[in-house]
Amino acid sequence: MKIVLSYGLGADSTAILLRWLTEPETRGFSLDDLIVITAQTGDEHVDTAILVEQHIYPLLAEHRIRTVQVARGGRYERDGIVVLDDTREPILCLTSGGPYTLADEMEQNATVPQSGNRAHSIKFKGWVIDQWIAANLGTDEPFVHVMGYEADELDRIQGDSDKGLPNRLPTYPLLSWSWDRDACEAFILSVLGVRWAKSCCVRCPFGYAKGSRDRTVLRLQRNPHQAVGALVMEYLAVAVNPRQGLLAGKQLYHLLASTPGSQDLLAMFENRLNELPWAIYEVRRAFTAKRGDAMARGTTRRSLRRLVTGTRAEMVAEIARAAHLLGRRLDSDGRHYRVWARERNLLFPCVEQALVAAPALAHDKTHPTFDKAWQAGLLGPRQLALAL
């Protein structure tokens, strides 16, 4: 039976690997049957990749352990996956990802990962690994799927236990060993003599939780090019929707601006904004009401359309001209520029419509049910009730 370890590059799965290699009695299987697989999102912190290349890949190569790196092949499931590396002598941790990365997903949709769920982790990691396993191990013969959930992550373990392929037998070594994150980090330190950095995407909101925020900001300051990518993504998302932000609605930009040592990083970010092509977008949203309550918002449907492109200065000037022509106030905080053609009401259903200036990275996209929701929102609650 094959043993597949989902190697997320972090302390948890690294501790499992190290213990199996240094204490063979803890694993109960031959290393010939082990497959170490990583789904690369294209957004991992570079210092994590360096740690893996310096300390883990040499051990995997020494023991001739099959090491696989995979990624999404495109936006849609029909695009499949790509195998970045499949070897028993791993050298490079290919964190730049494949042809379609998490950054592509966020920028094309003009949004940020949501802190309320792990949908993007499923899309860029779980689904990708399942596709490789199905293609290479099949869906009939059982395999053991090793997950690096900590002993105190019982909710995640329960949520994971019945997911995945029908022939999957999940197992959780850290639960069996009663190891939490502190135990994992202490074990790695005792074996390798290094403190393992937290593995997460640069754009992941969970990396900015209170317990990790200071360390994550320090990593961004040390690797400003990655930080600039996250800031560009956030800028575009906030331009399209001022209620967004990488930190659960709050902005990473504001956090960095208030943190000493970020001046050079933010200067690089401004330079990057000036280098990018810009666009004027029309953004429309239609808000439904929760059943029986016009004061409560239901679902939101969005239409995003690029109207014209040019330089940053040209698009900002174009927004100011549009505000004048429409007889509307230019809505600007000094960083973002938009004109509201329609603003949402207090009662639902309702709509809002704006012209915004932002980097020309987002794609045109309209939700399939947008037109119906838009028409209902234009009517408003009273007229809609009469129409029905």
Side-chain angles (χ1 to χ4, degrees):
M1 188 179 299
K2 292 298 182 183
I3 314 297
V4 180
L5 170 65
S6 282
Y7 185 40
L9 311 179
D12 301 331
S13 49
T14 295
I16 293 172
L17 262 179
L18 282 177
R19 194 175 193 200
W20 282 349
L21 296 179
T22 59
E23 301 175 19
E25 67 277 7
T26 63
R27 66 174 186 260
F29 59 87
S30 169
L31 294 179
D32 291 338
D33 294 324
L34 176 61
I35 300 171
V36 175
I37 186 167
T38 300
Q40 298 286 12
T41 68
D43 203 45
E44 179 64 60
H45 285 275
V46 66
D47 53 2
T48 298
I50 292 172
L51 284 172
V52 170
E53 291 172 355
Q54 289 180 340
H55 299 283
I56 301 304
Y57 278 1
L59 289 174
L60 296 181
E62 176 185 344
H63 291 277
R64 303 283 300 168
I65 295 172
R66 187 177 182 184
T67 306
V68 181
Q69 299 180 70
V70 289
R72 283 191 73 93
R75 172 189 289 269
Y76 304 105
E77 290 188 356
R78 64 174 179 267
D79 297 320
I81 66 171
V82 293
V83 178
L84 305 174
D85 199 20
D86 187 347
T87 179
R88 293 185 182 273
E89 297 179 345
I91 297 174
L92 298 177
C93 186
L94 304 172
T95 54
S96 58
Y100 187 72
T101 67
L102 179 61
D104 296 329
E105 173 98 345
M106 296 297 99
E107 290 173 355
Q108 291 176 16
N109 290 330
T111 190
V112 295
Q114 302 304 304
S115 58
N117 59 59
R118 297 179 182 271
H120 290 103
S121 180
I122 295 171
K123 182 172 183 176
F124 283 85
K125 293 184 177 181
W127 180 84
V128 175
I129 289 175
D130 282 351
Q131 299 309 299
W132 186 90
I133 291 173
N136 289 269
L137 304 185
T139 57
D140 297 322
E141 294 296 325
F143 71 95
V144 175
H145 195 183
V146 183
M147 304 296 291
Y149 293 140
E150 299 159 16
D152 55 1
E153 293 186 302
L154 295 180
D155 288 346
R156 295 187 69 187
I157 291 172
Q158 290 173 354
D160 173 78
S161 60
D162 60 352
K163 291 182 179 178
L165 299 170
N167 54 332
R168 176 181 186 253
L169 302 175
T171 186
Y172 313 96
L174 299 181
L175 176 62
S176 302
W177 303 341
S178 298
W179 281 17
D180 58 10
R181 183 172 182 82
D182 289 341
C184 292
E185 291 180 343
F187 182 74
I188 294 171
L189 181 62
S190 70
V191 175
L192 300 179
V194 298
R195 297 190 180 278
W196 206 261
K198 181 179 178 62
S199 171
C200 68
C201 293
V202 177
R203 291 164 174 79
C204 178
F206 297 105
Y208 299 93
K210 287 186 177 180
S212 305
R213 184 168 294 182
D214 290 344
R215 286 188 295 179
T216 301
V217 169
L218 183 59
R219 296 171 87 176
L220 295 180
Q221 291 174 339
R222 290 173 176 171
N223 300 286
H225 291 286
Q226 286 194 299
V228 166
L231 288 168
V232 169
M233 173 204 69
E234 181 184 67
Y235 183 96
L236 173 59
V238 172
V240 170
N241 182 357
R243 296 171 180 82
Q244 293 201 87
L246 188 54
L247 313 184
K250 297 182 179 179
Q251 295 182 39
L252 173 62
Y253 177 87
H254 293 150
L255 173 62
L256 291 173
S258 64
T259 304
S262 300
Q263 293 82 1
D264 290 344
L265 187 163
L266 295 178
M268 288 179 59
F269 167 53
E270 286 299 322
N271 289 337
R272 180 58 180 154
L273 287 181
N274 288 329
E275 294 168 353
L276 287 168
W278 276 53
I280 300 294
Y281 298 95
E282 179 197 45
V283 187
R284 292 187 293 159
R285 289 186 187 84
F287 307 96
T288 67
K290 285 189 176 180
R291 184 180 296 273
D293 188 356
M295 293 292 292
R297 188 181 72 185
T299 58
T300 302
R301 299 291 181 254
R302 189 190 76 173
S303 172
L304 182 67
R305 188 164 61 104
R306 187 188 300 181
L307 302 180
V308 63
T309 59
T311 67
R312 183 182 189 181
E314 289 170 344
M315 296 300 97
V316 171
E318 192 68 18
I319 279 288
R321 189 173 75 89
H324 176 73
L325 292 175
L326 293 172
R328 297 278 183 165
R329 177 179 60 87
L330 178 64
D331 180 11
S332 174
D333 58 6
R335 299 183 56 244
H336 302 91
Y337 302 86
R338 66 181 64 85
V339 179
W340 293 103
R342 289 185 175 91
E343 297 188 61
R344 69 170 71 178
N345 300 323
L346 293 176
L347 299 179
F348 299 95
C350 62
V351 300
E352 67 181 18
Q353 181 181 18
L355 299 177
V356 303
L361 301 172
H363 290 190
D364 289 5
K365 186 175 182 180
T366 298
H367 192 276
T369 63
F370 171 80
D371 288 339
K372 181 178 179 181
W374 179 259
Q375 292 304 319
L378 288 175
L379 287 174
R382 180 172 298 180
Q383 289 83 356
L384 181 62
L386 291 174
L388 294 175

